[in-house]
Amino acid sequence: MDGILYLWLLWGIWVYTTFLLRKSHPDRFRYSFLSLLLICVFPYGKMAGSVEVSYPVIVLALICIVYIRNLRLREKLYMLAAVLSMGMIYAGIALISIYDPVLMFMDREIILSLSLVTVGILFYSHSSQFWIRLIAVALSSVIGDFFLSIPLNKVGFHYSIGGPAYLDVLALTIGLLSALKIVVEINQAVHIKTQPNKGEMKNL
């Protein structure tokens, strides 16, 4: 079922932020509210001319815009270049999977997610840039899905921007980015713990 990865990810985030995250965390309510909102608007969409736009993608775009608003001008321009590049890569791969699916050597969702993760890490490589990397990937996928809808709707295909299939790709991408962050943090913690204390000789 399309959209199941999206729903499972958001339910997991909502359960974690509502019941497991400490109550003193400053963003606890915000994360819980946004994840529940994205779940509630999942089945709904709005017609914009002849194109249907899902409400989840509208909410995601607004969240990204609010976050980007606080960045400096130089960071905004860099974000614009990163988002447009990743968006075109997303739309290009998606079009290839539709017009010539033989070239897809693995599942389309996996290829799209790995592409977004790889390019997102290239643009924002430092581990401290996780949140801005997440915002860039989310916004670029929204723009990429918009780019994808233009040629498809022109040739007569009814394509909904931000549909369940797209949301599954986004959920898988966010899951991969989060898993990568956890691996990096574990690696850093182990590295710090294995470093010898000052004045202490390392065993050979």
Side-chain angles (χ1 to χ4, degrees):
M1 170 187 161
D2 287 339
I4 193 68
L5 293 178
Y6 168 82
L7 292 174
W8 272 109
L9 177 68
L10 287 175
W11 272 120
I13 294 172
W14 182 80
V15 169
Y16 174 75
T17 55
T18 304
F19 300 107
L20 301 177
L21 195 63
R22 66 181 188 277
K23 293 184 178 180
S24 60
H25 195 285
D27 297 319
R28 179 172 176 266
F29 173 77
R30 185 191 307 172
Y31 295 155
S32 299
F33 173 77
L34 289 176
S35 57
L36 195 59
L37 175 64
L38 288 168
I39 292 172
C40 292
V41 299
F42 169 69
Y44 304 106
K46 180 179 179 62
M47 294 299 298
S50 59
V51 180
E52 184 181 4
V53 183
S54 70
Y55 280 134
V57 84
I58 297 174
V59 174
L60 282 169
L62 291 175
I63 293 171
C64 295
I65 291 169
V66 169
Y67 183 89
I68 294 172
R69 186 185 59 179
N70 299 321
L71 299 178
R72 296 192 298 268
L73 178 60
R74 186 176 179 180
E75 294 174 330
K76 289 177 181 177
L77 292 175
Y78 185 81
M79 172 75 76
L80 178 63
V83 162
L84 288 177
S85 299
M86 288 189 282
M88 288 187 284
I89 289 171
Y90 176 95
I93 295 174
L95 282 173
I96 290 172
S97 70
I98 294 171
Y99 290 129
D100 198 354
V102 177
L103 295 177
M104 296 292 104
F105 55 89
M106 64 173 70
D107 188 76
R108 172 181 177 271
E109 293 180 356
I110 297 175
I111 294 177
L112 287 170
S113 297
L114 289 176
S115 301
L116 288 175
V117 169
T118 303
V119 182
I121 292 173
L122 288 176
F123 277 105
Y124 298 99
S125 56
H126 200 273
S127 59
S128 63
Q129 297 177 310
F130 172 75
W131 286 109
I132 193 168
R133 183 193 303 157
L134 204 63
I135 292 295
V137 167
L139 187 57
S140 67
S141 66
V142 172
I143 292 174
D145 212 46
F146 172 75
F147 287 161
L148 176 62
S149 70
I150 295 173
L152 292 181
N153 284 294
K154 279 188 175 181
V155 297
F157 286 96
H158 176 71
Y159 184 79
S160 175
I161 300 176
Y166 155 80
L167 294 174
D168 275 346
V169 172
L170 180 61
L172 183 58
T173 305
I174 293 174
L176 290 173
L177 287 172
S178 302
L180 185 61
K181 177 178 171 58
I182 293 170
V183 170
V184 170
E185 288 181 348
I186 292 173
N187 182 54
Q188 289 176 347
V190 171
H191 179 68
I192 292 172
K193 189 172 285 188
T194 55
Q195 281 183 338
N197 295 326
K198 189 175 181 180
E200 178 183 318
M201 288 188 63
K202 189 174 181 180
N203 293 330
L204 299 176

